[in-house]
Amino acid sequence: MYGTLKRIIWAVLLLGGMTSTGLAEETPPIFYPMPAIAVQHETKNCGYDTVMISSQLEYDDQAKTERISAYMPKIMASVYAELKKHLNKEKSVSDPVIKQIVLSAVNGIVGQGTINDVLIMNVVHG
């Protein structure tokens, strides 16, 4: 009984990754590292803080790379302006806010649905 169950489990695992034409073909995502961005803003105590952010864009079609590269200066300018505005108002920033700002900038400049996700790699306050 145990041997039969073991064979069934192996068969399910092996066939789970199969399609009618053979192995399932999954296109791996493409990651585009954005240049790091530093934004200086006033703190609640009348001082200054610098936030340095590094992130990557995730998308699924290599053909989008050229378009993203061409618009990167404009994307970075938009991200900087929105982060500066947010930090001057809120005095702090979280990963979800950064992600939304970058996603909004890319979709607004390059086109809706161009990227699938934004990965926040590092946020440093200094």
Side-chain angles (χ1 to χ4, degrees), residues 1-2 6 10 13-14 21 32 39 44 61-62 65 72-73 80 104 117:
M1 174 72 176
Y2 177 72
K6 191 174 177 181
W10 274 107
L13 289 175
L14 288 173
T21 60
Y32 187 101
V39 180
K44 292 177 184 175
D61 185 3
Q62 187 66 40
T65 303
M72 190 51 64
Y80 177 84
S104 181
D117 200 6

Side-chain angles (χ1 to χ4, degrees), residues 22-82:
L23 290 177
E25 292 182 26
E26 183 178 317
T27 305
I30 298 162
F31 296 97
Y32 187 101
M34 291 182 62
I37 190 166
V39 180
Q40 190 174 47
H41 66 97
E42 292 183 26
T43 65
K44 292 177 184 175
N45 301 331
C46 298
Y48 285 94
D49 183 28
T50 301
V51 179
M52 174 109 47
I53 299 164
S54 59
S55 59
Q56 292 191 16
L57 305 177
E58 178 187 340
Y59 51 98
D60 53 15
D61 185 3
Q62 187 66 40
K64 295 176 181 178
T65 303
E66 189 176 330
R67 184 166 173 78
I68 291 170
S69 293
Y71 283 100
M72 190 51 64
K74 195 170 184 176
I75 292 168
M76 293 303 293
S78 178
V79 169
Y80 177 84
E82 289 301 315

